[in-house]
Structures are given as C-alpha cells and as structure tokens.
Amino acid sequence: MNKKETVYLSPPHMSGNEQKYIQDAFDSNWIAPLGPNVDQFEKEVASSVGVKGAVAVNSGTAAIHLALRLLGVGPGDTVLCSTLTFVASANPILYLGAKPVFIDSEPDTWNMSPQALERALKDAKADSALPKAILVVHLYGQISKMDEILNICNKFSVPVIEDAAESLGSTYKGRAGGTMGEFGIYSFNGNKIITTSGGGMLVSNNQHALDKARFWATQAKDNADHYEHSEIGFNYRMSNILAGIGRAQLEVLEHRVQSRRLIFNQYKFYLSGLPGITFMSELENSFSNRWLTSLLIDESQGVSKCDLLNFLHEANIEARHVWKPLHLQPLFKGTAYYPHNEDEHVAVELFEKGICLPSGSGMTKGQQAKVINRILDFFSINDICKGEII
Ligand SMILES: *Cc1c(COP(=O)(O)O)cnc(C)c1O
C-alpha cells in the first residue's frame, strides 16, 4: 500500500450512475435553469424521508437561512441554537440580524441538552422575549432527544428547525431526522454522506411555506410579465446538473449508511479496549448514519489527544477534533449560552476530548486497517497497552 496516500476524513463517494443523469441534462441542453433533475430530486428526497415537500438549494447554509426567514426571524430576535456544531448552523442567524443563544449538549447524544433548553426558554419567557425559533443540530448522524425537545418547545410554542446536514439516513423512533420540526435541512456538501458537490435541501410538511422559500430562493420574482420585485430575494437554487448527481447519490444512500456503520463497528471492535477511549453511543430507538466515527479520549489515562492527531497526520491520515463549541468562537464572543448544568459544560468537554476518524464510505479495508494500526502503534509507543490488543 502506498504510504504517501492520504486517508481523508470524508471524501465524496460517487456511485457511477451520476454520469447518466448528467448526460440526460446535457442531451436535452438542460444545463440551467433548474429543470427536471431538480424537480425529481426534490420529490425523491421528500419521499425518502417522509415529508410533503422539499426545496433544493445551493447549500445547507442557504436552506437554514430560508427556514429562519420563514419563521419570521429578523433584527433583534433571538434563536436558540446548539453550541456544539459547525459555524454554518448559526451564521444565517447573523445574516438576518438576529442573535443566537447557545445551548449546551447533553452526554448521551452529544446534542442539545433538553434541560438547558428548558432553562433558556423559562428565562426568555420571564423576560417576555421568547425566541423566534430553536435550531437543533443532529451531530455526526446522531439524532437529538427529539421527544423531550419537542415537548419543551411545544410548551412554549416555539417552532423547531432541525439541522440534519450530517444526518440524512438517520432515524429517531422510526422517523427521519429533519422531519420532526417545522422545517428540516440537509446538506450535500462534498464531505456529507451523499453529495451533489455542493447543495442543500429544505424540507417540510408545510407546502405553503416551501412555495415561499422557493420564491425567495429564485430572486423573489413577483408574478408579472416584466421583472417586478416587492421582497428581498436570493439566488439560492440548485442547478439541474448538480441535482442529477444528487439523484444518483440518493439511490445509494442506504448503502452509504451501511458502509459508514460498518466502518464505525470496525473501529469500535479494534479500538474500544484501549485505555481512555470511548465511542459515541447510539441512543436507544434511534438509528445513526454514523457519518463520522467519533470518540473521546480521556487524557487522565495518559494519552494526549493532540499527540495522537499529530501522529495520524504524519501518517497522512486526516483525523479531526470534534466541532469547537460556537460559544467559544471569537465570532460569538459575549453571546448568551446555557450549560447542561451550572457546573457541567458538556460541549466543552466533548471538544476537549473528542476526535473524528476517517469515515468515508469509499474507504477501503486496507485504508481502514492503516488507520487502526497507526492508532494501535501510537498506544504502544506510549507504553500503555502492550500485548492487550487483539
Ligand atoms: C455541513 C453542515 C452545514 C452546512 O452545509 P453546507 O451545505 O456546507 O452549507 C450546516 N450544519 C452542519 C451541522 C453541517 O455539518
């Protein structure tokens, strides 16, 4: 095996069938605008996750922006948002001139803590300043504790947006992530479980709202025989070529989920006996797409997380820290934040201990063996685990 070859964290994995849809678009010269692949891709995603409708857009970030605007988020409003996530979850809150309030994770799912959420809503209610929306992120394929979260949000009558960018193919009590709140969003960025090279989808059972989103995403052209505009619009739609890639990718989603789960299970089998290592668990009654295999390293057991990441980097293996909580980002300095408990900051701890391992569904057995063996090497170099490894 080529030593120089890099094992990437989550590279695109084409099925081969993408060319057929792209060719159809070329044959009909339907390169732009929109077109039959876009319409079909929307229908296919909606039926695959079990919602009434979907709007294909050019990124997951755009889908979040549209969802927030549909809920009327504007200057001076607040939106409660998971703190342990990629910055793209929260940037659209800023686009609209609103303020995020960050909610900590809880230890079982690493996702939004229902008890921190409830405290934040109680405080907001006491201030007569309830948030316009709750933005719940389903991290690394793990769906949040949605029953608890929805119960709390219903009690305060605040609508929920699910950022399921990382969780297409995951379910919670039989329901797809992204379909339980008012709106859900998916991303088809190059690193996600399926990709259009770049793209996103807004889903909902509210067709009327989706029509509005489609209108805003297409430059908000009013119904007239000239160019007439009465609202701010965006150029957010997905191209017919990229939607073609998405259709072929969606056909193999189930296989991609199976591969990623297998990769997770392999890592767990070989590495879970190492001192200080615990893998992200899977909530009962939920099914994770295991987008990225994530684990925690307890440094009190004598291993340094940064040393391990550097060691893997030297071996051309792309492993990463888990997301840095947004309330710790310079961009969000001074932003309100609710911890899981007063003295228990779960997301901060997950950031301090957590790493993600290469998890691409196209990864070969040899590539995964390389990652596993380098990690085992790292542990024996540190004289911690001699001979105990299978
Ligand atoms: C990737 C990602 C996004 C953004 O999706 P893009 O398509 O890259 O704009 C949003 N939220 C989370 C949690 C993500 O992982």
Side-chain angles (χ1 to χ4, degrees):
M1 182 171 180
N2 181 1
K3 279 225 170 66
K4 286 267 177 295
E5 178 199 49
T6 299
V7 185
Y8 291 105
L9 189 70
S10 183
H13 181 190
M14 294 295 106
S15 71
N17 219 12
E18 291 81 7
Q19 293 292 346
K20 175 172 94 64
Y21 291 100
I22 295 172
Q23 195 59 49
D24 285 350
F26 271 72
D27 289 346
S28 58
N29 198 34
W30 216 320
I31 310 304
L34 295 163
N37 278 335
V38 176
D39 296 341
Q40 285 307 316
F41 188 39
E42 288 177 345
K43 288 201 181 95
E44 288 157 4
V45 168
S47 96
S48 136
V49 299
V51 284
K52 290 203 179 129
V55 179
V57 289
N58 55 17
S59 72
T61 312
I64 296 171
H65 190 187
L66 292 166
L68 290 166
R69 189 171 171 201
L70 284 168
L71 293 177
V73 174
D77 290 331
T78 56
V79 174
L80 308 193
C81 177
S82 305
T83 191
L84 190 67
T85 183
F86 182 45
V87 71
S89 304
N91 269 336
I93 300 171
L94 302 183
Y95 300 168
L96 289 160
K99 279 185 309 205
V101 171
F102 292 116
I103 308 296
D104 199 8
S105 301
E106 54 81 29
D108 300 336
T109 60
W110 303 15
N111 287 321
M112 187 179 275
S113 156
Q115 64 190 59
L117 171 69
E118 185 153 34
R119 282 206 317 283
L121 283 168
K122 275 186 181 152
D123 283 1
K125 188 163 189 196
D127 286 349
S128 307
L130 279 173
K132 274 276 164 66
I134 313 290
L135 208 147
V136 183
V137 183
H138 305 315
L139 218 56
Y140 304 129
Q142 173 101 275
I143 308 298
S144 313
K145 292 185 170 171
M146 287 307 287
D147 279 352
E148 289 87 335
I149 289 170
L150 288 170
N151 270 338
I152 295 164
C153 292
N154 287 340
K155 220 161 61 185
F156 290 87
S157 302
V158 182
V160 172
I161 299 168
E162 293 175 76
D163 177 348
E166 303 178 0
S167 298
L168 186 61
S170 302
T171 59
Y172 174 86
K173 301 188 179 173
R175 289 188 292 168
T179 66
M180 293 168 270
E182 185 69 22
F183 299 106
I185 76 95
Y186 303 109
S187 165
F188 308 112
N189 190 39
N191 62 346
K192 298 305 198 287
I193 192 148
I194 61 169
T195 182
T196 57
S197 93
M201 192 77 79
L202 173 68
V203 299
S204 179
N205 287 314
N206 183 342
Q207 294 277 21
H208 180 71
L210 291 178
D211 288 344
K212 191 80 196 183
R214 204 173 270 118
F215 166 77
W216 285 334
T218 327
Q219 306 283 24
K221 292 178 194 134
D222 291 343
N223 218 346
D225 51 13
H226 55 275
Y227 288 104
E228 180 83 3
H229 304 277
S230 42
E231 291 185 70
I232 295 180
F234 309 102
N235 185 4
Y236 270 176
R237 293 311 305 275
M238 181 181 279
S239 93
N240 197 48
I241 303 289
L242 300 189
I245 300 177
R247 294 183 68 190
Q249 288 271 291
L250 190 63
E251 289 169 356
V252 294
L253 173 63
E254 230 171 276
H255 301 285
R256 299 298 184 253
V257 173
Q258 278 169 13
S259 304
R260 299 226 183 209
R261 286 181 65 88
L262 186 65
I263 287 165
F264 175 89
N265 288 335
Q266 292 281 354
Y267 279 130
K268 196 168 172 196
F269 179 78
Y270 285 102
L271 304 175
S272 61
L274 295 174
I277 285 197
T278 41
F279 283 79
M280 185 191 220
S281 59
E282 186 173 43
L283 192 67
E284 214 185 316
N285 294 321
S286 82
F287 178 84
S288 169
N289 70 14
R290 292 291 188 195
W291 174 56
L292 295 184
T293 290
S294 314
L295 54 88
L296 302 177
I297 298 173
D298 178 1
E299 298 203 341
S300 73
Q301 300 289 308
V303 242
S304 149
K305 180 179 85 150
C306 286
D307 286 356
L308 174 59
L309 287 178
N310 288 335
F311 185 81
L312 293 175
H313 181 74
E314 295 285 302
N316 294 310
I317 292 166
E318 189 190 16
R320 295 262 179 112
H321 296 277
V322 306
W323 302 122
K324 178 175 175 174
L326 294 183
H327 74 276
L328 300 182
Q329 297 286 357
L331 172 65
F332 294 110
K333 199 160 183 256
T335 301
Y337 148 74
Y338 283 83
H340 183 54
N341 282 308
E342 208 170 309
D343 49 5
E344 193 183 4
H345 300 260
V346 175
V348 173
E349 196 179 325
L350 293 169
F351 170 59
E352 281 166 3
K353 295 184 173 174
I355 66 168
C356 303
L357 295 177
S359 306
S361 47
M363 184 162 60
T364 63
K365 285 204 169 77
Q367 287 173 323
Q368 194 178 9
K370 174 176 157 174
V371 180
I372 290 169
N373 286 327
R374 289 292 80 74
I375 295 173
L376 295 176
D377 278 358
F378 176 81
F379 275 79
S380 50
I381 282 169
N382 281 274
D383 256 357
I384 286 159
C385 211
K386 269 193 198 137
E388 289 162 16
I389 297 152
I390 338 129

